[in-house]
Amino acid sequence: MPRIAYVNGRYVAHADAFVHIEDRGYQFADGVYEVCEVACGFIVDMPRHLGRLNRSLTELSIDWPVTRGVLPIIMREVVRRNHVTDGLVYLQVTRGVASRDFVFPAGTKPSLVVTARKADPAAAAKRAESGIKVITVPENRWDRVDIKSVGLLPNVLAKQKAKEAGAQEAWFVDADGIVKEGGSSNAWIITRDGVLVTRPAEHGILRGITRTTLFEVAAKLDLKIEERGFSVAEAKAAREVFISSATTIAMPIVAIDGAPVANGHPGSITLSLRQAFFDVAEKSPA
């Protein structure tokens, strides 16, 4: 079956899904996005994702393209039309189409694109069994990374560098040598005492939805969490290291900049977080 996309009020064949060349998302990266996991026919943590979308739109003074109650209906319809049981649904909102000018155009209707695609949960589980590798790169992004903006060029370059190094993710490290977050994930370590550590999300990183849900998962498993920064050296010496995102859940890290973490294999605590995640995450029927 051909893929279907939603573009500004119409469901169209994915191959025919286009926006205007003067869409401000294309011209200025003037837009935001969200990605929700679809698992076993449910959209995972959708209310939290839409809450974060609302925050991103508010921070950039972009109006909702449709009412907040209608967007979940569109998302479910895109998932249904693409026959996605396991995969993801992606939505992007830009300020809309206007003659190219840096200032906000008056009266422009925001653009909305929603797509969905299938994924193989068995493949993700296999990656978790072996773990992935990360490299570190200097922080070079703008200060407002708490907004889930489509302006992702530094992330693209970092993740390309990771690929060229045989790794699957890159961590941005600030001027003080403290890990901030990954190119598309939040960063965690587990200390020798079994305490989960992740950087506070008030400033300087994106408040990940999966990150937020993992706080509840950890509470269910009676695990302690400390919100504080950690250095690359502390991460390399940690009991376990992992990343979290909508597409990875809790994914074990087995090497940092080529140096193995602990015994170089996924840790039991990370795997237990991963296993318990869907018992806690909110699941909306797709």
Side-chain angles (χ1 to χ4, degrees), residues 132-275:
I132 65 173
K133 302 174 183 179
V134 301
I135 63 167
T136 59
V137 297
E139 175 63 283
N140 63 348
R141 302 170 298 167
W142 75 317
D143 191 54
R144 294 304 310 276
V145 293
D146 57 295
I147 300 171
K148 200 167 177 67
S149 162
V150 297
L152 295 171
L153 185 56
N155 306 60
V156 168
L157 296 176
K159 290 178 81 72
Q160 177 63 27
K161 186 174 181 179
K163 179 180 179 180
E164 293 169 357
Q168 292 74 42
E169 179 59 298
W171 277 355
F172 290 103
V173 178
D174 68 20
D176 296 321
I178 304 300
V179 175
K180 295 190 72 173
E181 60 185 341
S184 60
S185 62
N186 289 128
W188 302 69
I189 64 171
I190 302 175
T191 69
R192 296 292 177 179
D193 297 327
V195 177
L196 279 65
V197 180
T198 190
R199 188 176 180 126
E202 280 71 27
H203 178 77
I205 69 169
L206 182 70
R207 186 181 292 276
I209 301 303
T210 301
R211 174 189 183 277
T212 300
T213 300
L214 282 172
F215 273 66
E216 298 178 6
V217 178
K220 179 181 178 180
L221 299 178
D222 293 322
L223 297 171
K224 181 181 177 182
I225 293 180
E226 292 182 3
E227 288 189 89
R228 62 171 176 82
F230 57 85
S231 68
V232 176
E234 185 179 5
K236 289 180 178 179
R239 172 177 172 176
E240 299 180 33
V241 180
F242 68 95
I243 58 171
S244 63
S245 72
T247 55
T248 62
I249 311 176
M251 182 62 65
I253 301 299
V254 296
I256 303 171
D257 289 333
V261 173
N263 63 1
H265 296 281
S268 59
I269 295 177
T270 302
L271 295 178
S272 68
L273 289 166
R274 183 180 178 86
Q275 184 175 12

Side-chain angles (χ1 to χ4, degrees), residues 33-37 43-55 64 68 75 91 148 208-210 246:
Y33 73 103
E34 282 291 333
V35 181
C36 296
E37 182 183 12
I43 301 177
V44 179
D45 285 331
M46 181 165 63
R48 282 178 168 166
H49 280 281
L50 295 182
R52 186 173 64 183
L53 175 67
N54 183 67
R55 180 183 182 278
W64 276 73
R68 188 163 175 171
M75 293 169 66
L91 60 98
K148 200 167 177 67
I209 301 303
T210 301

Side-chain angles (χ1 to χ4, degrees), residues 61-82:
S61 300
I62 298 176
D63 293 331
W64 276 73
V66 296
T67 64
R68 188 163 175 171
V70 167
L71 188 52
I73 297 173
I74 296 171
M75 293 169 66
R76 290 187 178 101
E77 183 63 15
V78 172
V79 170
R80 185 190 70 82
R81 292 190 182 212
N82 286 279

Side-chain angles (χ1 to χ4, degrees), residues 66-135:
V66 296
T67 64
R68 188 163 175 171
V70 167
L71 188 52
I73 297 173
I74 296 171
M75 293 169 66
R76 290 187 178 101
E77 183 63 15
V78 172
V79 170
R80 185 190 70 82
R81 292 190 182 212
N82 286 279
H83 306 283
V84 175
T85 301
D86 295 285
L88 60 85
V89 56
Y90 175 92
L91 60 98
Q92 178 172 298
V93 182
T94 74
R95 202 176 302 278
V97 177
S99 296
R100 193 178 192 280
D101 191 4
F102 283 89
V103 299
F104 294 172
T108 300
K109 180 177 175 56
S111 296
L112 171 63
V113 172
V114 183
T115 59
R117 63 177 172 84
K118 299 177 181 178
D120 182 5
K126 186 174 181 179
R127 285 195 300 273
E129 289 176 0
S130 57
I132 65 173
K133 302 174 183 179
V134 301
I135 63 167

